Amino acid sequence: MSHENKVIDEAMQGEATMLNDSEDTTSKKKLFIESYGCQMNFSDSEVVASIMKNDGYATTRNVDEADVVLINTCSIRENAETRVRNRLTEFKKKKEDNPELVVGILGCMAERLKKNLLEEEKLVDLVAGPDAYRDLPNLIEEVGTGQKAVNVLLSRDETYADISPVRLDQGGISAFVTIMRGCDNMCSFCVVPFTRGRERSRDPHTIVQECRDLFEKGYREVTLLGQNVDSYRWNISSKGEIKDPSQPTTNFAQLMEMVALVSPELRVRFSTSHPKDMTDDVLEIMAKYENICPYIHLPVQSGNTDCLYRMNRGYSREWYLERIDAIKRIIPDCAISTDIITGFCGETEEEHQDTLSLMDAVQYDFAYMFKYSERPKTLAERRFADDVPDDVKGRRLNEIIEKQLASSLSSNKRQIGTIQKVLIEGKSKRSDEHLCGRTGRNSMVIFPKLDCEKGQYVMVRIDECTSATLMGEIVSKC
Ligand code: 5AD
Ligand code: SF4
């Protein structure tokens, strides 16, 4: 496996997933759902499972017994789409044996490829975009009457706020909670504003209620999700005006505080922050609450100001480094991760060197690193040539990966000898005698299980590490 594939696989988190708490063996209709791409897609699949459950569908892990197969797709890079296409070809073969089987695609590839997938390649019967999931029962009915069913309309206000997601199998400890949808940023490389539409925030009370329900069901960690969580706003217009003066307003810092107050035993994480919008009040709230994890994912994309300008990121290298200083000042032990793109349009060797030197300056704990992949309709596709040769993109990617591996290793080595509070997620892949869990800084730790189990907090002394994992021993229970 090439470096790039490995890194992208980690970023894409592999495949999902079947549902646990909804399985109902008495129901006649069965749904098989699989997710690709970002955490938001995984979270959306839980909303879809809930809508389908209300329409009488039980979920199954066995595709051979499914009446409906839904694939929640990703368009962010070309190879994400290729993976989904390969999977759809496999399902097409299943349809030859079972012509009644309904195969549908959801998510980001829906709008982009609806015509090809439905009409030209005939790979699917149904296409539903990210804002059309409530329409799925109707669309499935349309397929039953022999029609090709499509709904890719994007909405300005759909947040699925009232839908209580059916949880996918994450061990029942950690859950994603979507707080906003869409993105208004228009980074020039990014297809998301076209596939997911305009930014809109979800009612904070429904978010807090969902977190409370999760805690009562035994969950101990929530990750608040949005493409750009720092621009979360409720009852405030995009121009900053209060929409309804008789109602309170909520920004992201305030929302995080509301969620942190659900219980000190509930860990709060969030993703993704945007360097141009991340304010000190968010950092101050993080520092104030022990249960808001000291970990920030702050994608930089490039360490060079000219390249950032072409990327339309809205900040310079200096601005970004000032935000890093603010994190280190306000939350001294905060872990920081990032996303980096190599070989963006016009990226020179000097610009690439600036990315490497920025990595030296920040010392990221973790990074997701990608070769630039041109996406249709984006500003970059329209304005710039994708002119960095693939072998140069690959070489630059290897250089940044190498730097990151060294930085991750030193970051983990600095943890050796410390005692960390770990939330146990379950058995380690290494052996049944070991458990695994995460520190607040989001490092995975493996340790002998003693008599502990998942969902418990334990204090673990860190004894050894690799660049990816910490190893240690439980010193006490919390
Ligand atoms: N090519 C490569 N990487 C991309 N990303 C987004 N669009 C592209 C693209 N066209 C990366 C960015 C973003 C992450 C989710 O995916 O780094 O932060
Ligand atoms: Fe894409 Fe930029 Fe929006 Fe992130 S902030 S989803 S990279 S447009």
Side-chain angles (χ1 to χ4, degrees):
M1 187 186 263
S2 73
H3 261 337
E4 190 193 23
N5 282 340
K6 181 167 177 294
V7 172
I8 286 171
D9 274 352
E10 283 166 15
M12 293 190 33
Q13 304 173 357
E15 293 166 11
T17 357
M18 276 330 307
L19 315 180
N20 46 15
D21 57 358
S22 74
E23 281 204 33
D24 166 6
T25 45
T26 58
S27 172
K28 289 204 190 72
K29 298 185 285 182
K30 297 253 188 284
L31 164 71
F32 178 91
I33 185 167
E34 195 167 84
S35 304
Y36 290 81
C38 63
Q39 295 167 334
M40 185 72 86
N41 265 5
F42 283 69
S43 175
D44 276 4
S45 292
E46 298 180 332
V47 167
V48 168
S50 175
I51 291 166
M52 295 292 284
K53 187 179 175 188
N54 290 340
D55 198 43
Y57 281 83
T59 55
T60 174
R61 287 161 213 257
N62 178 0
V63 65
D64 292 324
E65 62 174 29
D67 302 286
V68 175
V69 170
L70 296 176
I71 311 296
N72 202 345
T73 63
C74 172
S75 274
I76 199 120
R77 283 167 293 275
E78 196 178 351
N79 52 6
E81 287 190 357
T82 310
R83 282 179 67 180
V84 171
R85 270 178 184 283
N86 293 342
R87 196 68 176 130
L88 288 173
T89 313
E90 286 171 35
F91 290 128
K92 192 174 178 186
K93 291 199 193 103
K94 290 205 185 295
K95 244 179 113 65
E96 283 160 15
D97 298 337
N98 173 12
E100 300 291 292
L101 179 68
V102 175
V103 178
I105 59 160
L106 315 175
C108 290
M109 279 170 75
E111 161 58 30
R112 240 181 65 60
L113 293 174
K114 58 179 188 287
K115 205 164 158 35
N116 303 37
L117 296 175
L118 261 175
E119 290 167 22
E120 290 160 18
E121 299 169 59
K122 300 200 183 340
L123 280 175
V124 297
D125 311 294
L126 174 161
V127 176
D131 292 339
Y133 299 148
R134 289 182 201 268
D135 201 23
L136 275 168
N138 301 328
L139 292 170
I140 291 169
E141 221 177 281
E142 277 176 30
V143 175
T145 63
Q147 301 169 57
K148 295 283 182 193
V150 189
N151 184 345
V152 292
L153 289 177
L154 290 171
S155 153
R156 278 186 169 258
D157 46 30
E158 176 63 273
T159 60
Y160 301 113
D162 56 316
I163 292 181
S164 171
V166 168
R167 294 297 158 187
L168 293 169
D169 189 7
Q170 292 170 35
I173 299 300
S174 181
F176 298 128
V177 175
T178 298
I179 63 164
M180 59 199 296
R181 302 180 69 81
C183 183
D184 282 351
N185 279 324
M186 300 301 269
C187 300
S188 64
F189 50 79
C190 186
V191 79
V192 168
F194 303 95
T195 61
R196 288 192 160 268
R198 299 304 297 270
E199 184 179 286
R200 64 222 99 117
S201 297
R202 176 178 167 193
D203 182 334
H205 298 103
T206 68
I207 297 170
V208 173
Q209 190 53 48
E210 189 176 327
C211 295
R212 203 171 284 135
D213 289 347
L214 284 164
F215 183 73
E216 277 159 16
K217 286 190 183 131
Y219 284 79
R220 289 294 172 264
E221 184 174 87
V222 289
T223 303
L224 307 180
L225 289 182
Q227 308 294 342
N228 175 4
V229 289
D230 299 291
S231 60
Y232 176 88
R233 50 171 177 262
W234 183 250
N235 195 23
I236 310 170
S237 78
S238 53
K239 293 187 187 113
E241 291 147 2
I242 297 177
K243 288 186 189 163
D244 176 354
S246 67
Q247 297 294 321
T249 61
T250 312
N251 64 21
F252 181 56
Q254 291 161 330
L255 176 72
M256 232 181 357
E257 180 159 39
M258 288 159 74
V259 175
L261 288 168
V262 166
S263 165
E265 295 293 298
L266 181 70
R267 275 187 169 176
V268 184
R269 299 185 186 277
F270 55 93
S271 191
T272 299
S273 305
H274 197 301
K276 78 177 163 57
D277 297 320
M278 190 191 67
T279 51
D280 285 1
D281 61 347
V282 168
L283 303 177
E284 275 147 17
I285 290 291
M286 289 178 73
K288 183 169 163 196
Y289 291 93
E290 201 257 341
N291 58 326
I292 304 182
C293 292
Y295 167 60
I296 298 184
H297 182 61
L298 196 67
V300 67
Q301 315 296 0
S302 165
N304 174 274
T305 298
D306 292 339
C307 190
L308 288 168
Y309 183 76
R310 295 198 299 283
M311 288 176 162
N312 200 28
R313 288 288 289 173
Y315 55 86
S316 63
R317 175 186 173 99
E318 289 68 32
W319 173 279
Y320 184 89
L321 287 173
E322 189 284 323
R323 291 291 74 208
I324 295 289
D325 286 347
I327 296 173
K328 293 185 175 171
R329 186 174 69 243
I330 299 171
I331 318 163
D333 195 33
C334 193
I336 304 174
S337 64
T338 201
D339 292 342
I340 297 175
I341 298 177
T342 63
F344 183 64
C345 311
E347 187 189 61
T348 63
E349 209 49 43
E350 290 72 35
E351 290 179 353
H352 167 60
Q353 290 301 325
D354 281 350
T355 299
L356 290 169
S357 75
L358 180 126
M359 293 173 79
D360 282 333
V362 178
Q363 290 290 316
Y364 291 109
D365 298 277
F366 189 79
Y368 297 101
M369 297 160 280
F370 314 101
K371 275 191 208 172
Y372 173 59
S373 160
E374 185 176 80
R375 306 312 291 136
K377 279 196 191 172
T378 55
L379 291 180
E381 189 235 10
R382 285 180 276 145
R383 274 190 205 155
F384 308 123
D386 179 11
D387 55 359
V388 177
D390 196 56
D391 58 332
V392 176
K393 285 182 185 172
R395 194 254 303 149
R396 290 180 187 168
L397 182 66
N398 285 340
E399 287 174 16
I400 64 166
I401 288 173
E402 228 145 84
K403 191 169 279 297
Q404 186 51 46
L405 285 177
S407 175
S408 297
L409 183 62
S410 353
S411 151
N412 281 351
K413 279 186 177 161
R414 284 194 296 275
Q415 308 299 311
I416 292 177
T418 64
I419 292 177
Q420 301 282 332
K421 185 171 178 178
V422 173
L423 172 60
I424 303 178
E425 290 182 4
K427 279 188 195 146
S428 146
K429 283 188 202 133
R430 181 199 254 198
S431 86
D432 281 355
E433 295 310 306
H434 286 78
L435 294 170
C436 66
R438 282 178 195 278
T439 66
R441 292 168 43 86
N442 208 34
S443 301
M444 183 56 85
V445 193
I446 298 175
F447 45 90
K449 73 176 182 191
L450 306 183
D451 59 345
C452 297
E453 50 190 57
K454 73 177 183 188
Q456 258 182 297
Y457 288 102
V458 284
M459 301 305 290
V460 177
R461 188 193 60 240
I462 309 300
D463 299 324
E464 291 172 69
C465 73
T466 65
S467 62
T469 318
L470 304 174
M471 277 80 76
E473 302 241 348
I474 296 174
V475 291
S476 62
K477 295 177 194 169
C478 302

